[in-house]
Amino acid sequence: GAGVSQSPSNKVTEKGKDVELRCDPISGHTALYWYRQSLGQGLEFLIYFQGNSAPDKSGLPSDRFSAERTGGSVSTLTIQRTQQEDSAVYLCASTEGLAGVSEQFFGPGTRLTVL
Amino acid sequence: QKEVEQDPGPLSVPEGAIVSLNCTYSNSAFQYFMWYRQYSRKGPELLMYTYSSGNKEDGRFTAQVDKSSKYISLFIRDSQPSDSATYICEMITIGVGSNYKLTFGKGTLLTVNP
């Protein structure tokens, strides 16, 4: 069946521009995570959505980062006024049940390059 | 001290070798331990998970947890070139109100040479 999809796969932008990254989770999965993966830094948790609960935004690095999840399905991660240090691969994952102990299914990621 | 430490490598081994990948941690509240494999330009995929001390085996892979030493390992027997990837450990705590905290290691880059 279809896995988690993300778009675009690659995004090159200029410093100061806004970008939107999209995640389509596996249908029926209640939890959705966003991570950032920088070279040599490993996976960095950004934000997580669980059902209709308020999202856990504790990992967002600054107020330039925001995310929403519409209708409990598709999610968009927005980075405003991008900086060069925002360059990274942004990964989305979804889980079927309770977050944390259910298997996370990751998308292929969006590789963001800020010039 | 970081909560989870993982040697980033790179680790290079000949085909058929036994590979040992390790993570140490400082938070005794971690309850679940997972290993992910990530191929280049792909998202991570879950390999194994466990929640108790001891060994768990799945084919050529064995996950080992030693809670007393705060140390987990992933062993790969008869390693193959197709095992070449980055291996990432993940540890999970579950707090009050089912508040999950996920912590990842930085990943170890493994190359298995034919």
Side-chain angles (χ1 to χ4, degrees), chain A residues 10 33 35 37 40-43 45 48 56 91 98-108 111, chain B residues 32 34 36 38 41-46 49 86 88 90 92 94 98-100 102 104-107:
Chain A
N10 284 283
Y33 292 79
Y35 297 95
Q37 189 175 37
Q41 295 302 312
L43 280 165
F45 164 76
Y48 122 75
D56 177 355
L91 289 161
L98 288 176
V101 295
S102 299
E103 179 178 354
Q104 290 188 74
F105 292 86
F106 283 83
R111 184 174 297 273
Chain B
Y32 295 87
M34 300 183 178
Y36 287 84
Q38 184 176 24
R41 295 187 176 265
K42 301 285 188 184
E45 56 180 340
L46 181 66
Y49 83 93
T86 297
I88 304 168
E90 178 192 15
I92 300 169
I94 304 176
S98 296
N99 181 25
Y100 294 87
L102 314 179
F104 293 86
K106 288 187 176 182

